[in-house]
Amino acid sequence: MINSNEVSPVKMSNEQKQDIMRSILKEESMINITLKPIEQEVFLTEDPQVALIKLKCFQELINKERLAYAEHLAEVFEMIGDDAYRNLGFILKQFVQDSYSIQLSIIRQLPLLVEQIKKRQSGYAELKDHVLPFMNIFIMHEDFDVKKEVLTQLIKIAPFLIEQDKVDTILTHLIEMAHDEKNNQNRMLAAETFGQTASLFSMKYCESYICGELLALGIDLNEFVREKAIEQLPNISVCLSEKCIELKIIPFFLQSCEDRLLQIKFACIRSISGISKYARHNLKTTKLIPKYLDFISDQNKDVRKTAYEYLGEFISTIKFTDKDQQQLETILAYYQNQLDKNMNMMGVDLVYKCAYYFPGVLQAIGRARWLKIQPLYGFLLKYPSDKVRVSLSQSFHEVAKLLGPDLSKEYLIPVLETLAQDKLQEVRNGIVVNLSKFISIFPIEERDYVIDLLLNFQKDQHKWRTRQTICTSIFPITRCFNNDTIFFQIAPILFKFCSDTVAKVRRKASKNVVHLVETFEEEGEQRTVILEQIRAFSHSKKFNQRQSYCWMCYKLFYRPDFEDLFFERLFELCRDPVQCVRLSAVTVIDKFIQKEGFSKERKYLKYLLVQFIDDQCKEIQQILTKYNFVIQKTKKKTLSCRSRNSGSSNGHLEDIPEFDEKIEQIRKTSGKV
């Protein structure tokens, strides 16, 4: 063993330090060989100098330790600081010849490392000189998974690069891979990555290089390469001009549609909607709609099924004009065919996509044709699939917005009531979350029926998750009503939730009581009643209602009038005889301080913490350990205030804040001095 007294750390050179570290690492590796697997726990060192030496001597660590440092490389660099970045190139070279798992871990850490590097003054130079060359090595890696992972992480880093470096690092390698005639996987990966990276480049590079390379892969001899290239056409169309789409993408796409292989036809059907989004209207009506009608009437059943699956998405990309009425009627007839038993028996996916894109179809055809597709909407509501009903519940407000108040009142209110009583939690949540958007389309005098819906949720004790969701969405719901409705209808519901039998509902409701206070800012009878109702929770004989008051304070802390309106009752609840009330109080205070910290405007937080000094609850004392210094300092001020009030000459000479005297007054009135 090395005696640390023999060599002074101050006099040791870097080489001596590394020699010592190597000997320590060698001893550690010998010990680890003799340990059982369960005993071989690896802990990252918290000493920056030791961590740096371990990274520089990376290959001498045992495999488990190397993997641990590789998986947390960005954190270790942040801990070490400048010394790590000065050795960045040398450290990265340590990983080039390492194992597969360690290489993948390092590659996945690079975007996090780059986030830190870009904040440094010399960050871009370090990125260009060390990180990019390191990634270039692995782009040419023999293992396909490593190569794919590098490209995935490189796409995340690319936004930090100037365009020329993106071209040199990404585009050049992709073009080389696209021309690799011996390796089909390379060409497939190039086709896939061309589409993913197109948005990173300017239109000049997209039209001059990426578009041409992708279309060349689209006529590759290998069908899997062609399939990948066709699937990326929507992604590249985003970055091309309408002229380029007309002259290059559409002709190539129509040619690909003639391919006899089914997988190529499927790829064309999946891609046609994405291309249609960015094509000119005349190309949609003269080229793409006729081609889609060919797919939907194809002799092959699987082709027809796939075409029906994507029909709603395709229709939603087209804005039909008066000149297109005949085409609209034709394609709408096919869309209505999904009511046919032979069609909807093809699978849940077909019906789900019909439901998912229903609002888009309605927008494309207009509310005047609602009655034509309304039977289909009714069929979707009754379809025995949870997935379909969840989709409908999340989009019913979009349908209502397109239909307007009159048609929505006639057709969608019954839908709303049905879905609101659905046995599936996700369906009810979809209704509640979007309820305010649905209400807002109606005149304010026609919105009261929603109150009955909320009351039904309140009464049903079995659907507590729905009640919790209502509490989360209560603020946007209140904005849909006038103050009288909020006061007489919604406020009682929210206060009822604050007394709910389920703790999670009470907590969520209590945190949102602040919105009632904000609604009634102006002095008046309604504001007085709301404030009295809030304070009544703190006086309640039921401990869970006193807990609710504590959670109300979490957001009330933000209000400048908290000290005047709510502080006194919370101060006394900090000494509540019921432990769970005190624990709720200290938890609320702790969470707020962790988020916002202490401030001059909220110095009362310190005095609240002092209340828990003698508490016997272990959980409370564990929370207080974070604030020992603040508590002791505040306690001294409080003792000083007491000394002053009692006339003692042993008090502190510092000025006593006015707030301290208010604390003493509260103690006196509560009989706790």
Side-chain angles (χ1 to χ4, degrees):
M1 293 291 290
I2 295 172
N3 188 348
S4 59
N5 295 323
E6 293 178 4
V7 182
S8 174
V10 178
K11 298 179 180 179
M12 282 195 297
S13 65
N14 288 334
E15 293 180 359
Q16 287 176 312
K17 287 182 180 179
Q18 290 189 25
D19 289 339
I20 293 171
M21 195 65 207
R22 286 192 181 95
S23 64
I24 293 172
L25 294 174
K26 186 175 181 181
E27 288 184 19
E28 286 180 352
S29 63
M30 294 300 295
I31 292 170
N32 279 313
I33 290 172
T34 61
L35 289 175
K36 296 179 182 179
I38 195 169
E39 297 173 334
Q40 294 184 26
E41 296 294 338
V42 175
F43 299 97
L44 301 179
T45 180
E46 295 182 2
D47 187 330
Q49 289 302 317
V50 174
L52 179 61
I53 294 172
K54 287 199 173 193
L55 289 181
K56 293 172 77 172
C57 306
F58 191 77
Q59 292 304 319
E60 298 180 30
L61 304 177
I62 61 171
N63 184 67
K64 196 169 183 179
E65 192 170 17
R66 293 206 313 279
L67 185 59
Y69 274 88
E71 289 175 344
H72 299 88
L73 185 67
E75 297 174 38
V76 175
F77 261 73
E78 189 173 17
M79 177 189 70
I80 297 172
D82 289 341
D83 287 342
Y85 296 106
R86 279 194 285 268
N87 293 276
L88 179 61
F90 178 78
I91 292 171
L92 289 178
K93 287 179 183 177
Q94 303 285 310
F95 310 121
V96 174
Q97 301 300 326
D98 218 308
S99 65
Y100 170 81
S101 59
I102 288 176
Q103 287 176 346
L104 279 180
S105 297
I106 291 295
I107 291 166
R108 288 167 184 156
Q109 282 287 298
L110 290 178
L112 298 176
L113 190 61
V114 170
E115 283 281 354
Q116 298 171 16
I117 290 175
K118 71 176 186 178
K119 299 174 185 176
R120 294 168 52 80
Q121 189 173 0
S122 57
Y124 197 84
E126 291 169 346
L127 173 61
K128 186 175 180 179
D129 295 341
H130 303 301
V131 178
L132 295 184
F134 175 74
M135 299 189 83
N136 284 340
I137 294 171
F138 289 99
I139 287 180
M140 308 309 294
H141 202 280
E142 294 179 358
D143 189 284
F144 179 76
D145 291 333
V146 172
K147 190 182 301 184
K148 185 173 182 179
E149 189 64 41
V150 172
L151 287 171
T152 300
Q153 303 306 325
L154 196 52
I155 292 171
K156 296 178 182 178
I157 295 172
F160 306 140
L161 305 177
I162 61 174
E163 186 154 69
Q164 190 55 52
D165 288 334
K166 284 190 278 190
V167 170
D168 295 339
T169 308
I170 302 175
L171 192 54
T172 303
H173 286 295
L174 288 180
I175 291 174
E176 289 178 10
M177 292 167 62
H179 288 264
D180 186 355
E181 297 180 0
K182 296 180 180 179
N183 192 325
N184 293 337
Q185 281 191 325
N186 270 352
R187 299 199 304 282
M188 287 171 61
L189 183 57
E192 186 176 350
T193 313
F194 273 134
Q196 294 172 350
T197 58
S199 60
L200 299 172
F201 296 94
S202 64
M203 188 178 291
K204 178 185 73 173
Y205 281 102
C206 286
E207 294 190 352
S208 301
Y209 297 97
I210 297 177
C211 181
E213 294 294 337
L214 189 64
L215 297 186
L217 292 171
I219 57 173
D220 195 273
L221 294 176
N222 185 282
E223 65 273 19
F224 296 104
V225 177
R226 297 202 303 276
E227 181 184 12
K228 286 290 182 186
I230 292 167
E231 287 177 344
Q232 294 305 317
L233 290 177
N235 292 332
I236 194 176
S237 297
V238 182
C239 311
L240 302 177
S241 63
E242 288 186 344
K243 184 177 180 181
C244 184
I245 293 174
E246 181 177 359
L247 297 179
K248 294 182 178 180
I249 299 296
I250 298 294
F252 166 78
F253 176 76
L254 294 175
Q255 180 184 348
S256 300
C257 291
E258 302 302 322
D259 199 304
R260 293 182 179 181
L261 288 176
L262 287 180
Q263 70 187 81
I264 302 301
K265 285 191 175 184
F266 295 152
C268 289
I269 294 170
R270 291 193 295 268
S271 302
I272 191 169
S273 299
I275 297 171
S276 178
K277 284 181 185 178
Y278 307 104
R280 289 175 178 166
H281 182 74
N282 67 310
L283 292 174
K284 296 178 185 181
T285 55
T286 59
K287 303 291 184 182
L288 298 182
I289 290 179
K291 182 51 63 180
Y292 207 99
L293 294 175
D294 289 344
F295 284 135
I296 214 164
S297 56
D298 195 272
Q299 293 180 351
N300 186 282
K301 180 182 177 181
D302 292 329
V303 173
R304 294 198 307 274
K305 177 187 174 184
T306 306
Y308 269 105
E309 280 186 24
Y310 290 88
L311 179 58
E313 182 183 7
F314 178 67
I315 294 173
S316 67
T317 65
I318 304 169
K319 291 183 179 180
F320 292 95
T321 64
D322 294 337
K323 296 179 181 179
D324 312 320
Q325 295 306 304
Q326 186 174 352
Q327 280 187 321
L328 172 57
E329 295 297 336
T330 303
I331 203 166
L332 194 57
Y334 281 108
Y335 187 70
Q336 291 172 284
N337 276 353
Q338 292 174 93
L339 281 169
D340 188 273
K341 290 183 179 180
N342 294 327
M343 290 304 305
N344 59 60
M345 286 177 66
M346 287 187 176
V348 175
D349 287 342
L350 187 150
V351 182
Y352 167 72
K353 289 194 173 178
C354 178
Y356 185 83
Y357 289 106
F358 190 90
V361 173
L362 180 58
Q363 185 176 22
I365 67 175
R367 73 176 72 174
R369 288 182 172 77
W370 159 250
L371 292 178
K372 288 194 172 184
I373 59 173
Q374 191 272 332
L376 178 59
Y377 194 64
F379 160 76
L380 294 173
L381 288 166
K382 296 177 183 177
Y383 191 80
S385 166
D386 294 346
K387 189 177 178 182
V388 172
R389 295 200 314 282
V390 169
S391 178
L392 292 172
S393 71
Q394 293 171 346
S395 65
F396 84 101
H397 63 286
E398 296 175 4
V399 176
K401 187 176 180 180
L402 293 167
L403 290 181
D406 294 335
L407 289 174
S408 295
K409 190 173 183 179
E410 182 178 355
Y411 291 99
L412 294 188
I413 287 181
V415 172
L416 173 67
E417 293 170 351
T418 301
L419 293 176
Q421 300 302 321
D422 196 274
K423 62 181 180 180
L424 194 67
Q425 175 66 34
E426 288 83 354
V427 175
R428 298 196 302 272
N429 283 355
I431 291 294
V432 172
V433 168
N434 297 299
L435 192 57
S436 61
K437 298 174 185 175
F438 179 78
I439 301 169
S440 62
I441 70 167
F442 295 98
I444 195 165
E445 62 273 7
E446 297 180 12
R447 298 175 181 177
D448 288 351
Y449 71 90
V450 176
I451 304 297
D452 295 332
L453 193 66
L454 296 176
L455 286 169
N456 289 334
F457 282 130
Q458 175 196 311
K459 293 173 184 176
D460 193 337
Q461 294 301 307
H462 299 290
K463 298 174 181 176
W464 68 268
R465 289 186 178 86
T466 304
R467 300 199 300 277
Q468 185 182 15
T469 306
I470 291 173
C471 296
T472 305
S473 309
I474 200 73
F475 177 57
I477 291 175
T478 56
R479 296 175 67 182
C480 298
F481 297 96
N482 57 38
N483 282 9
D484 286 340
T485 305
I486 295 171
F487 181 79
F488 290 108
Q489 304 284 354
I490 296 179
I493 294 174
L494 185 58
F495 283 127
K496 186 71 174 177
F497 285 147
C498 291
S499 304
D500 199 89
T501 54
V502 179
K504 289 184 177 180
V505 177
R506 293 198 304 272
R507 183 176 301 183
K508 190 67 70 175
S510 300
K511 287 183 178 180
N512 283 285
V513 162
V514 68
H515 298 310
L516 293 179
V517 182
E518 291 169 352
T519 301
F520 300 97
E521 286 285 6
E522 295 182 6
E523 291 294 336
E525 186 179 354
Q526 291 182 339
R527 175 178 170 81
T528 302
V529 172
I530 293 293
L531 295 178
E532 287 177 355
Q533 183 64 42
I534 292 173
R535 285 192 285 263
F537 276 84
S538 68
H539 292 284
S540 174
K541 293 181 180 180
K542 296 181 179 180
F543 75 89
N544 57 8
Q545 292 184 339
R546 300 199 299 277
Q547 275 184 305
S548 293
Y549 182 83
C550 296
W551 284 105
M552 289 176 190
C553 290
Y554 179 75
K555 288 190 177 179
L556 291 172
F557 279 141
Y558 287 99
R559 293 185 58 82
D561 55 6
F562 177 84
E563 184 180 327
D564 297 326
L565 298 177
F566 308 107
F567 168 78
E568 183 175 343
R569 290 304 306 146
L570 182 62
F571 184 84
E572 295 186 4
L573 289 179
C574 293
R575 294 294 184 106
D576 195 272
V578 180
Q579 178 177 297
C580 62
V581 176
R582 302 196 306 276
L583 185 58
S584 294
V586 76
T587 302
V588 167
I589 297 165
D590 174 51
K591 285 181 177 293
F592 185 83
I593 294 172
Q594 292 298 312
K595 185 177 180 181
E596 299 293 335
F598 292 101
S599 66
K600 292 181 180 179
E601 295 79 15
R602 303 187 187 96
K603 61 182 178 180
Y604 52 75
L605 294 171
K606 301 175 184 179
Y607 292 93
L608 293 174
L609 291 173
V610 171
Q611 288 291 89
F612 300 101
I613 291 177
D614 301 324
D615 202 294
Q616 300 301 310
C617 176
K618 291 182 180 179
E619 291 90 341
I620 291 176
Q621 290 304 320
Q622 189 174 358
I623 293 173
L624 288 187
T625 54
K626 294 182 278 188
Y627 308 107
N628 280 338
F629 175 76
V630 174
I631 290 172
Q632 292 305 319
K633 188 175 179 181
T634 308
K635 189 178 178 183
K636 286 181 181 179
K637 288 186 178 183
T638 306
L639 290 172
S640 173
C641 181
R642 290 183 183 180
S643 300
R644 179 179 175 182
N645 289 340
S646 62
S648 171
S649 60
N650 296 325
H652 294 274
L653 298 177
E654 58 190 4
D655 291 335
I656 308 302
E658 185 180 324
F659 193 77
D660 291 337
E661 296 178 357
K662 183 176 181 179
I663 296 294
E664 287 303 305
Q665 186 179 359
I666 294 173
R667 284 199 177 97
K668 287 178 181 178
T669 53
S670 60
K672 295 181 180 178
V673 178

